[in-house]
Amino acid sequence: MSDESPDAALLRAVEDFLSQHDPKTMERTEFLRARFDAGLAWVHYPTGLGGRGLDPELQPVVDTALAAAGAPDNAPHRNVIGLGMAAPTILRFASDELKQRWLRPLWTGEEIWCQLFSEPGAGSDLAAVATRAVPDGDGWRVSGQKVWTSLAHDSSWALLVARTDPSETKHRGLTYFVCDMSTEGVDVRPLRQLTGEAEFNEVFLDDVYVPDAQRLGEPGEGWKVTQLTLMNERVAIGAGNTPREGGPIGFLARSWREAEVRDPALYDDVLRLWVDAEAARLTTARLRQQMEAGLPGPEGSGAKLSYARLAQQIASIEVDLAGADGLRYDDYSMRRPDLDVEENRPAAYRFLRTKGNSIEGGTSEIMRNIIAERVLGLPAEKRVDVDIAWKDLPR
């Protein structure tokens, strides 16, 4: 019996993999596919699905060794919804056949994912969705409108929540599907935001056919599946795997160091926000481990709330530090975002963009309700619509 430690054994597996797959000579996608097949994508996932059934804390062993060898990563910033929200939902609820079909191209970034959740009349109150799915042979016909759908214009697949039984209460009449975004009847239209970009979309579903095989969970139990996705979403947004001085605080720290004139009055603010960002980064490391182990909890709402607050405060100080130039932002042209040019954007861009942090992925007000009720155990708000059939609710 070997006395080799788990991290040493994993490091040896990485070295063996690299001896047969040279990232300097292999095409990027082929290398990523091979990495997935070798169980080095998500080491905590099951064997055959990109992993080895190991502790998620061992993933940095793989990532560090491959980065040192010059290996490409899977550009996680380009498929945040797929990696952070779709993958754990698929792993928990999809059939073995669909796990095999979806997880590898999701991880390699060959297929981008979005989520068709929010609607014009169902955002913070997501359980009130009105998009209908009715049985049709071996599948369902879906009709309705979704909104604020990030990456829908680039997505191959979508997580979809629809109402299948309007005679049930709003939480019980929902069913969860995966929708092929290339299906006839899917219409994606851009939504322009403060920055001029159109990260988001509204999506119209006109009699879209979804095979029953692409239903996750039982009919009427969509809210249970949705909760898993939402908890992972909040951890993915608020507890991203960033290095020290990564994310918003990195831009502020760089601006402070490069500034020709530093306002002493801002020094304490910069230092305080740096400490807050570092504390948040270390605190959320445990939440990522919970998520990777399939155990996301309501604590993710706290991470998401903290991230939104910090990002907005940091962006505001960055604008102050830039002085008059901080107000300069003159590119409001309608365009799709380029996720790889963040370094070249002005402080004013981040000031405008972070306004959305307290809305996307659940508003800060809803996050506070979840923390109050599910973390602190405070009395729940009175809700008068929980025992009324959805079809009888006023709209």
Side-chain angles (χ1 to χ4, degrees):
M1 187 171 180
S2 175
D3 293 329
E4 193 174 32
S5 65
D7 55 339
L10 186 57
L11 184 58
R12 180 167 52 80
V14 174
E15 293 170 348
D16 291 344
F17 173 77
L18 288 170
S19 70
Q20 302 174 52
H21 303 85
D22 185 353
K24 296 182 176 64
T25 60
M26 288 185 71
E27 192 272 329
R28 178 180 180 277
T29 300
E30 289 302 317
F31 181 87
L32 292 173
R33 289 173 180 168
R35 175 179 169 180
F36 184 95
D37 294 341
L40 299 174
W42 295 294
V43 298
H44 57 289
Y45 270 41
T47 301
L49 296 176
R52 296 169 173 249
L54 301 175
D55 192 313
E57 292 186 18
L58 292 173
Q59 186 65 46
V61 173
V62 174
D63 296 341
T64 301
L66 289 176
D73 66 14
N74 62 339
H77 62 290
R78 290 193 164 273
N79 201 10
V80 173
I81 294 168
L83 295 167
M85 304 158 215
T89 306
I90 292 167
L91 186 64
R92 176 78 67 87
F93 291 101
S95 66
D96 290 342
E97 179 182 356
L98 289 177
K99 290 174 188 175
Q100 292 285 347
R101 165 62 186 86
W102 284 329
L103 287 176
R104 188 171 83 159
L106 183 161
W107 186 84
T108 61
E110 294 171 84
E111 294 180 345
I112 303 300
W113 286 66
C114 64
Q115 57 182 36
L116 298 174
F117 280 17
S118 293
E119 298 180 7
S124 295
D125 185 13
L126 182 60
V129 296
T131 294
R132 286 294 312 277
V134 297
D136 180 15
D138 293 330
W140 304 76
R141 291 286 174 179
V142 182
S143 296
Q145 179 187 0
K146 298 293 183 176
V147 75
W148 314 127
T149 309
S150 299
L151 302 178
H153 55 289
D154 286 332
S155 294
S156 301
W157 299 95
L159 306 173
L160 167 66
V161 179
R163 189 161 303 282
T164 50
D165 189 351
S167 66
E168 279 281 8
T169 58
K170 63 182 185 179
H171 290 86
R172 294 177 182 170
L174 300 172
T175 303
Y176 196 111
F177 304 94
V178 171
C179 176
D180 183 342
M181 290 294 285
S182 66
T183 307
E184 183 179 358
V186 177
D187 181 14
V188 178
R189 304 179 189 178
L191 288 174
R192 191 177 182 189
Q193 58 210 75
L194 273 175
T195 60
E197 292 177 322
E199 293 177 57
F200 308 115
N201 305 270
E202 53 183 347
V203 180
F204 294 86
L205 305 165
D206 184 10
D207 204 30
V208 174
Y209 181 74
V210 179
D212 189 61
Q214 290 171 203
R215 169 175 46 82
L216 302 187
E218 296 301 316
E221 294 186 358
W223 188 248
K224 179 175 71 174
V225 187
T226 299
Q227 285 299 99
L228 177 71
T229 304
L230 292 177
M231 286 189 289
N232 279 290
E233 177 182 40
R234 288 154 192 166
V235 174
I237 293 174
N241 189 14
T242 56
R244 175 178 287 187
E245 285 195 10
I249 194 63
F251 293 106
L252 177 58
R254 185 181 66 186
S255 296
W256 176 263
R257 294 180 181 121
E258 295 178 353
E260 294 182 6
V261 179
R262 300 172 185 166
D263 183 352
L266 295 177
Y267 178 80
D268 286 347
D269 291 328
V270 173
L271 182 59
R272 173 180 55 81
L273 289 172
W274 192 97
V275 171
D276 287 351
E278 181 64 8
R281 183 183 73 85
L282 295 173
T283 301
T284 55
R286 182 172 60 88
L287 290 180
R288 289 197 306 276
Q289 292 167 9
Q290 286 181 327
M291 181 180 74
E292 291 163 354
L295 300 171
E299 300 90 347
S301 296
K304 199 270 179 186
L305 177 65
S306 175
Y307 173 81
R309 176 184 61 83
L310 269 173
Q312 291 171 354
Q313 291 178 345
I314 289 168
S316 180
I317 295 299
E318 189 182 0
V319 167
D320 289 344
L321 181 62
D325 287 340
L327 301 176
R328 187 171 297 151
Y329 184 71
D330 54 9
D331 184 8
Y332 290 98
S333 58
M334 168 64 182
R335 64 196 184 282
R336 291 299 191 179
D338 184 343
L339 300 178
D340 290 327
V341 300
E342 179 73 10
E343 294 289 333
N344 300 321
R345 287 168 170 159
Y349 169 85
R350 285 182 284 279
F351 178 81
L352 295 173
R353 179 58 186 85
T354 57
K355 300 305 178 187
N357 294 155
S358 51
I359 302 172
E360 59 193 353
T363 67
S364 291
E365 290 77 12
I366 293 298
M367 297 303 103
R368 290 186 176 95
N369 279 357
I370 292 171
I371 294 167
E373 295 175 16
R374 302 184 191 177
V375 179
L376 301 178
L378 299 178
E381 282 190 306
K382 290 186 178 180
R383 298 175 173 88
V384 298
D385 58 356
V386 292
D387 296 321
I388 302 174
W390 178 86
K391 64 183 179 61
D392 296 328
L393 292 174
R395 280 182 291 282

